[in-house]
Amino acid sequence: MIRKLKAYLIAYAGSSFVALTLYGVYSTVKYITEDAPFITVITMWPETHDRSNLAEMVRIVFYLFWWISFYRDSAFYLIILSMQIGLGHQYMNLQSYFYNLQRIFDDSEMSQKEKEDKYVESFKYGIKLHTSTIWCTNQCQLICSEIYASQVLLLTIILINFLPALVNSQEDTELACAHFPPFIFTLVTMGYVMWNAGDITVEAAKLPDAMYSSGWENCYDQSAVRVRKLVVIAMTQAQQPIVLTAFGVVELSYETYLAILKSAYSVVSVFY
């Protein structure tokens, strides 16, 4: 889990660093070769045609503050990714927990009744863990619902704006190099949220199989009847789909991610 989180954060920091840097490099090259203003961030003042030394210094200062503001505001990704990756691995831990319950019946030092009692108590504890994990997932949805919605909406709009820029910059190599990294960064940023949310759904859907394979068939007589009822109730609860959504209807998953990319491409194809 920690390795995955580190990999995502390094990829995010690296891609955003390249994207922000190339904006500055492109403006610097234009400033040196074509004597164009150093413009990376469009501001109310100075205006784009202002060529005074003060205006150029202010643009550089705004560019540096843009870096600071971007990485400061990006801190919420750390929180969202930590929650999503943690929840996904918690469902994986629950699967492992239920699969390992079968080992109780491999202990030759306990009687059959002791094994059955220990299995029942362990299975009940697993149900308690599952219930707590569902509660955590619901809280994650409640806390991040507005962030999910704004993320999907904002990045879809950015994606639609970047595609025409890439198409129009085919003859300008420098402009294409400046636009391509932010385009990739936009895809990756959207993917971070939707991929990990999809992982939660996928891992949660595997839990009923783990419960079924927990070793309930090793119980006999009246204990078997009680255990079967317990397993059926637990599996029924686990079969309820665990889905994180944006706007209450847009499922955050791999399929939705591809659908958004296709929709953005379709919109650009119609107008361009």
Side-chain angles (χ1 to χ4, degrees):
M1 180 183 71
I2 295 176
R3 285 197 301 268
K4 183 177 181 180
L5 181 58
K6 284 183 178 179
Y8 272 69
L9 292 180
I10 290 173
Y12 175 81
S15 58
S16 60
F17 175 82
V18 172
L20 294 176
T21 301
L22 286 181
Y23 271 116
V25 170
Y26 175 75
S27 298
T28 302
V29 171
K30 290 295 183 181
Y31 178 80
I32 296 174
T33 59
E34 301 180 10
D35 196 28
F38 180 82
I39 299 176
T40 56
V41 184
I42 305 298
T43 57
M44 293 183 60
W45 184 87
E47 298 181 358
T48 56
H49 60 271
D50 190 346
R51 299 301 308 276
S52 63
N53 293 332
L54 177 61
E56 297 292 357
M57 293 178 60
V58 170
R59 292 191 184 104
I60 295 175
V61 171
F62 270 121
Y63 178 58
L64 297 177
F65 272 105
W66 184 35
W67 275 74
I68 298 173
S69 176
F70 177 83
Y71 278 107
R72 189 196 63 169
D73 296 339
S74 297
F76 78 90
Y77 275 104
L78 175 61
I79 300 175
I80 294 178
L81 289 177
S82 298
M83 288 192 297
Q84 289 185 337
I85 294 176
L87 285 172
H89 278 76
Q90 177 59 16
Y91 282 106
M92 295 172 63
N93 291 338
L94 285 173
Q95 295 172 39
S96 178
Y97 177 84
F98 283 106
Y99 278 123
N100 288 330
L101 290 183
Q102 194 164 11
R103 296 182 180 179
I104 295 175
F105 298 96
D106 296 334
D107 191 348
S108 58
E109 296 181 358
M110 292 191 299
S111 64
Q112 178 64 21
K113 186 177 185 307
E114 290 175 338
K115 293 178 183 178
E116 292 174 352
D117 292 340
K118 183 177 180 180
Y119 173 82
V120 171
E121 292 301 321
S122 300
F123 196 92
K124 288 181 179 179
Y125 185 71
I127 294 176
K128 182 179 179 181
L129 293 176
H130 181 218
T131 303
S132 298
T133 305
I134 293 177
W135 181 85
C136 291
T137 306
N138 293 335
Q139 291 299 308
C140 181
Q141 172 65 56
L142 180 63
I143 294 171
C144 301
S145 58
E146 295 181 359
I147 296 178
Y148 293 153
S150 60
Q151 180 76 1
V152 172
L153 180 61
L154 179 62
L155 292 181
T156 302
I157 294 174
I158 294 176
L159 194 63
I160 293 176
N161 290 332
F162 264 125
L163 285 174
L166 285 175
V167 173
N168 296 332
S169 63
Q170 289 181 350
E171 298 180 357
D172 189 340
T173 305
E174 296 175 352
L175 184 60
C177 292
H179 282 152
F180 186 72
F183 175 74
I184 298 300
F185 173 71
T186 302
L187 297 182
V188 173
T189 304
M190 182 188 296
Y192 282 160
V193 176
M194 305 194 75
W195 298 339
N196 287 287
D199 285 341
I200 294 175
T201 302
V202 171
E203 297 300 334
K206 297 178 182 179
L207 195 54
D209 292 337
M211 292 178 175
Y212 183 80
S213 304
S214 61
W216 58 269
E217 69 278 4
N218 294 303
C219 298
Y220 303 109
D221 300 329
Q222 293 300 320
S223 179
V225 176
R226 180 180 56 173
V227 169
R228 284 199 296 268
K229 292 180 180 179
L230 187 64
V231 172
V232 169
I233 294 174
M235 290 180 61
T236 302
Q237 182 186 34
Q239 286 173 344
Q240 299 296 324
I242 302 296
V243 179
L244 299 180
T245 61
F247 301 105
V249 293
V250 180
E251 178 180 343
L252 301 182
S253 63
Y254 301 96
E255 293 79 7
T256 305
Y257 176 73
L258 293 177
I260 291 177
L261 296 184
K262 292 179 181 178
S263 299
Y265 178 77
S266 300
V267 171
V268 173
S269 298
V270 170
F271 291 99
Y272 294 90

